[in-house]
Amino acid sequence: MSSENKRNFLIILISPSGGGKTAIFNKILAEDNEIKYSVSFTTRKARINEINGTDYNFISEEKFIEMRNSSEFLESAKVHGFWYGTSKSYINSVLKKNHIIMDIDVQGAKQIMNSDVDHITVFILPPSREVWLQRLKGRGTDSDEVIQVRLETAEKEIQEIRDFQYLIINDDLDKAVNDIKTIIKAEENKIERFINIENYYGG
Ligand code: 5GP
């Protein structure tokens, strides 16, 4: 029985800013070649060390609207004033061989939860409000105003936490990553994800 006989799925990580999601993504992707990152489309401008096609596909608002009108997105949402979206064709082609891990907001996650694409949802929280505030301020890249907006968005998102399946408290990076990998393993082994198992062992 090979991995060809198992159906791949989307791993949706949801976390308020300052939850420590980026470090988790980087570690999982570095440690597991079977998992690919979903490169989103966005209308926001690239930050200084971001690479087009690797971090995001940076596109104009016109192009984004055009793609949205022709139903090219599995999900799309406006976050902090910019559009973000996940390409349906990209997801479908990668899922043929790999799981895909994705960094999307709560609105986008809910659109996928209402679609027929196989997925799991994992919410990530910092260990406490104090640590969270420290992390947000400690980045040193955002103004107090920006931090305040992020905090308010995050507080609203946390109110919706019970709509998701798994919770990881990101106290220790290694532990958080191991817990997520354990969840993925368990999900992979669900009977529903095995294709044609009856015929494989049948007479
Ligand atoms: P940033 O611009 O800081 O990279 O991301 C801002 C927010 O947009 C984050 O909450 C991130 O999860 C969300 N985001 C990134 N890509 C997508 C996407 O493709 N779809 C949706 N719905 N949200 C996204």
Side-chain angles (χ1 to χ4, degrees):
M1 165 120 308
S2 73
S3 58
E4 306 273 288
N5 298 82
K6 282 188 188 175
R7 203 175 54 226
N8 294 313
F9 50 90
L10 299 180
I11 303 147
I12 307 176
L13 298 192
I14 308 134
S15 163
S17 305
K21 191 169 45 171
T22 311
I24 291 181
F25 270 108
N26 290 341
K27 197 161 163 56
I28 292 180
L29 289 165
E31 288 179 3
D32 193 333
N33 283 332
E34 297 300 308
I35 301 179
K36 302 294 174 202
Y37 182 67
S38 168
V39 183
S40 301
F41 286 76
T42 183
T43 61
R44 100 157 150 67
K45 295 272 168 283
R47 296 189 185 117
I48 204 140
N49 47 10
E50 285 178 327
I51 301 168
N52 191 23
T54 301
D55 296 291
Y56 280 102
N57 297 296
F58 295 98
I59 58 171
S60 66
E61 185 145 347
E62 292 70 39
K63 175 75 183 155
F64 194 97
I65 303 294
E66 191 187 306
M67 286 177 75
R68 207 164 73 123
N69 289 345
S70 43
S71 304
E72 287 181 46
F73 291 126
L74 172 62
E75 63 75 36
S76 64
K78 205 166 203 178
V79 188
H80 304 138
F82 297 102
W83 284 104
Y84 293 83
T86 305
S87 153
K88 250 186 227 171
S89 60
Y90 177 78
I91 292 292
N92 288 334
S93 75
V94 179
L95 274 181
K96 287 190 183 130
K97 289 211 155 161
N98 301 95
H99 296 315
I100 304 176
I101 197 160
M102 53 201 313
D103 172 5
I104 60 176
D105 82 320
V106 165
Q107 307 168 70
K110 292 205 167 170
Q111 290 170 39
I112 296 182
M113 286 154 71
N114 287 322
S115 78
D116 56 8
V117 180
D118 193 6
H119 63 270
I120 64 168
T121 51
V122 181
F123 205 100
I124 299 162
L125 279 177
S128 67
R129 194 177 169 89
E130 289 67 38
V131 172
W132 185 26
L133 288 173
Q134 270 168 20
R135 281 190 194 164
L136 276 175
K137 290 179 183 157
R139 281 179 183 170
T141 50
D142 301 313
S143 65
D144 285 353
E145 224 171 22
V146 168
I147 292 175
Q148 191 54 35
V149 171
R150 286 177 186 244
L151 207 55
E152 281 164 21
T153 307
E155 279 164 355
K156 282 190 206 129
E157 288 178 347
I158 292 169
Q159 295 311 309
E160 300 184 48
I161 200 164
R162 287 191 187 275
D163 293 337
F164 305 101
Q165 295 172 303
Y166 294 99
L167 174 61
I168 298 289
I169 306 286
N170 184 14
D171 196 357
D172 175 89
L173 178 62
D174 288 344
K175 183 176 182 309
V177 166
N178 280 335
D179 283 0
I180 294 172
K181 285 180 160 180
T182 306
I183 291 168
I184 294 170
K185 263 289 152 253
E187 288 282 343
E188 274 178 348
N189 288 333
K190 277 188 168 166
I191 298 274
E192 67 198 37
R193 295 212 166 88
F194 285 82
I195 303 161
N196 238 344
I197 189 88
E198 300 83 351
N199 295 340
Y200 194 80
Y201 289 98

